[in-house]
Amino acid sequence: MTASSPWLPDALWSGAFFDGQWSAAAQRQPVIEPATGHSLGEIGLADAAQVARSAAAAAQAQQAWAAAPYEQRAEVLRKAARLAEENIDTLVGWLVRESGSTRLKAGFEAKVTIKALHEAAALPSRSVGEILPSEPGRLNLARRRPLGVVGVISPFNFPLYLAMRAVAPAIALGNAVVLKPDPRTAVCGGAVIARLFEQAGLPQGVLQMLPGDGAAGAALTSDPHVAMIQFTGSTAAGRKVGEAAGKHLKKVSLELGGKNALIILDDADLDLAVANTAWGVYLHQGQICMATGRVLVQRSIHQAFLQKLVAKAKSLKVGDPAREDVALGPLINAAQRDHAARVVDDAVKAGATLETGGTHQDLFFAPTVLGNVSVDNPAFNEEIFAPVAVVVPFDDDDEAVRLANDSEYGLSMAIVSRNVGRALKLGERLRTGLLHVNDQTVNDEVINPFGGVGASGNGTSIGGPSNVEEFTQWQWMTVKGEAPAYPI
């Protein structure tokens, strides 16, 4: 897991994956291990000119790739999955060291990424259209066609999977892809993906991997060769991406932030409720768009629940996941740590009680529980993206619905109750893209559509049955035996 890793070429450390080659970039950036602050190597950063060259090369390569036999495209995806399975230890290692993932989270991410490749391998053999009714003598067809070049801008938190869930189906359906991973996780979110497809035999030019900053992302959204942008990241950045891409009439898929509510009803098993809450709040240090951002607990069990959650938070070990078995690793960088510390401080000033945590050492943020959080408290409204449980009491089901829906976000919600009928009735009233009964808010199985509403996204979904709709477009086609003699 160093710059000399035999599976990743030395050329990786000077540039990007451009037109099937590891090529040099003018600007370089160190790859930082957040747990230690040490450099793991360097990565090249693409500028706007390189983005333009890559998009043009991708557009040229895409035509032959789309015309390739479906079995050829499927075999590339299958081989990429096999290679990922063979190199899973390397994938996990990079996720641990570069993104600060615990080994549990990194192992899950690597496995779900492999599953995404297997699922994508089935897409080339799917039906590509249907026959429509028409007048006698005319064949009337509707068929799905690749978009062309898809620009994928992926985040740092689940860098491998959240990039692959867009890259793999887009390629499988005959598109070319320009991937711009977050520069903080350019290896596990970009380089390893490029390496997998390179070794799997993907033709040159079909995948371009270009780490870069906001300027590179802006170049991607405006490039005339790019037909679609799939963006996963913060709502603030997503608004800018959507505006820029819309200006150039590109299709846009935005998967953004969340302030997700977990509702604990008064008939819930307290120990199970706490276990679900801890997973939803503290997994990957809370740096997940689906993380449980608000824990709504019915007042009659609120105090008992709070005591158990505080005890659970205090029991969780924090440390360097590359060197010891821990429940929580580091936050991605100082900016994220300082944001979390500010929200916690502002929450206490606004009347919340700091039940435990709230402290940090370097990038390691202690598991935190905030109680007595009101609807006008900053912690109730702001996405924290850190290991902070925000606990809010409610009196009845109607109030639970009001509190859960009292947010600009609408990504994921969950309800824990022994009464499934009651939970389903309550769930029908929630404004959310994802809903889980008797589970927590962090869920994804690859085969499911994934997307939110409101400030959590533009309503489109990727994943599962949505992939064909997302990465292709309809074409209407008619065929007659001979051209008609029109009267004009």
Side-chain angles (χ1 to χ4, degrees):
M1 231 168 24
T2 66
S4 60
S5 172
W7 189 64
L8 293 173
D10 290 340
L12 157 69
W13 304 98
S14 63
F17 190 67
F18 166 61
D19 201 18
Q21 304 292 328
W22 295 93
S23 57
Q27 184 180 355
R28 299 187 185 187
Q29 175 177 292
V31 177
I32 299 298
E33 183 179 32
T36 63
H38 297 158
S39 173
L40 301 173
E42 287 186 328
I43 192 76
L45 297 180
D47 57 18
Q50 192 163 21
V51 170
R53 292 195 300 272
S54 290
Q60 184 174 6
Q62 184 270 332
Q63 297 179 44
W65 175 242
Y70 74 88
E71 181 60 26
Q72 178 183 336
R73 284 186 275 126
E75 177 54 28
V76 169
L77 274 295
R78 288 194 291 264
K79 186 171 182 181
R82 292 194 298 270
L83 288 165
E85 290 167 344
E86 293 168 4
N87 292 281
I88 192 168
D89 289 343
T90 300
L91 301 182
V92 169
W94 274 108
L95 286 165
V96 169
R97 296 195 66 183
E98 189 184 25
S99 75
S101 300
T102 62
R103 291 200 173 274
L104 177 66
K105 180 264 186 185
F108 168 78
E109 183 173 355
K111 289 177 182 177
V112 78
T113 299
I114 293 168
K115 185 176 180 181
L117 283 164
H118 282 298
E119 290 295 324
L123 291 175
S125 58
R126 288 272 302 270
S127 170
V128 295
E130 54 187 277
I131 299 177
L132 306 175
S134 188
E135 62 189 48
R138 182 172 78 165
L139 185 62
N140 197 15
L141 306 172
R143 59 178 182 170
R144 306 294 311 193
R145 305 286 286 167
L147 293 167
V149 178
V150 176
V152 176
I153 303 175
S154 58
F156 74 85
N157 55 339
F158 268 68
L160 178 60
Y161 172 60
L162 294 184
M164 189 66 84
R165 71 172 181 178
V167 171
I171 286 175
L173 291 165
N175 299 285
V177 171
V178 179
L179 168 62
K180 192 202 83 65
D182 190 298
R184 292 169 291 188
T185 49
V187 177
C188 57
V192 297
I193 293 174
R195 187 63 167 162
L196 285 171
F197 280 106
E198 179 190 26
Q199 292 193 319
L202 185 69
Q204 285 193 5
V206 176
L207 173 62
Q208 316 277 337
M209 191 283 295
L210 302 174
D213 56 17
L220 196 59
T221 61
S222 64
D223 193 279
H225 293 102
V226 177
M228 174 188 176
I229 298 292
Q230 199 291 308
F231 173 86
T232 302
S234 72
T235 295
R239 291 184 195 277
K240 296 177 181 178
V241 169
E243 180 181 5
K247 179 180 177 182
H248 296 280
L249 304 180
K250 300 184 189 302
K251 185 175 183 179
V252 184
S253 170
L254 302 174
E255 201 275 282
L256 309 177
K259 188 66 174 176
N260 311 292
L262 170 59
I263 300 172
I264 311 296
L265 297 178
D266 56 5
D267 60 356
D269 180 299
L270 276 182
D271 290 331
L272 288 176
V274 168
N276 277 263
T277 299
W279 183 266
V281 172
Y282 300 127
L283 179 65
H284 196 42
Q285 300 76 261
Q287 298 173 120
I288 306 174
C289 59
M290 296 175 287
T292 300
R294 294 170 295 163
V295 188
L296 311 181
V297 185
Q298 197 144 15
R299 198 175 300 276
S300 61
I301 62 169
H302 171 261
Q303 198 56 39
F305 173 88
L306 193 61
Q307 291 174 356
K308 285 180 174 287
L309 181 61
V310 169
K312 169 64 78 171
K314 289 181 177 179
S315 73
L316 298 175
K317 186 177 181 181
V318 182
D320 183 350
R323 292 161 180 82
E324 53 183 330
D325 186 16
V326 296
L328 284 83
L331 294 176
I332 191 66
N333 59 19
Q336 185 55 42
R337 176 203 63 201
D338 294 344
H339 167 73
R342 177 192 61 77
V343 175
V344 170
D345 185 54
D346 289 347
V348 173
K349 290 177 181 176
T353 57
L354 182 61
E355 303 288 343
T356 189
T359 60
H360 58 82
Q361 182 176 358
D362 297 325
L363 298 184
F364 298 98
F365 205 96
T368 299
V369 178
L370 290 172
N372 295 318
V373 177
S374 61
V375 295
D376 57 353
N377 192 293
F380 183 88
N381 297 295
E382 289 192 47
E383 186 180 24
I384 305 176
F385 234 58
V388 180
V390 177
V391 183
V392 183
F394 67 88
D395 289 310
D396 55 29
D397 292 8
D398 288 341
E399 186 179 10
V401 170
R402 287 196 301 272
L403 290 171
N405 287 336
D406 187 6
S407 173
E408 65 172 339
Y409 299 103
L411 181 56
S412 182
M413 294 190 193
I415 306 165
V416 176
S417 171
R418 286 190 174 98
N419 188 334
V420 174
R422 178 188 177 192
L424 287 172
K425 185 177 179 180
L426 189 154
E428 287 296 319
R429 301 164 63 191
L430 299 177
R431 187 178 62 89
T432 183
L434 315 172
L435 176 64
H436 306 289
V437 174
N438 282 325
D439 208 333
Q440 43 73 52
T441 58
V442 182
N443 273 284
D444 200 348
E445 293 185 13
V446 178
I447 59 172
N448 53 283
F450 190 100
V453 297
S456 291
N458 59 353
T460 60
S461 299
I462 55 176
S466 300
N467 280 329
V468 174
E469 181 72 28
E470 204 60 7
F471 297 112
T472 63
Q473 61 186 5
W474 282 110
Q475 181 189 64
W476 181 39
M477 178 181 176
T478 67
V479 180
K480 292 184 177 182
E482 60 181 35
Y486 284 104
I488 296 178

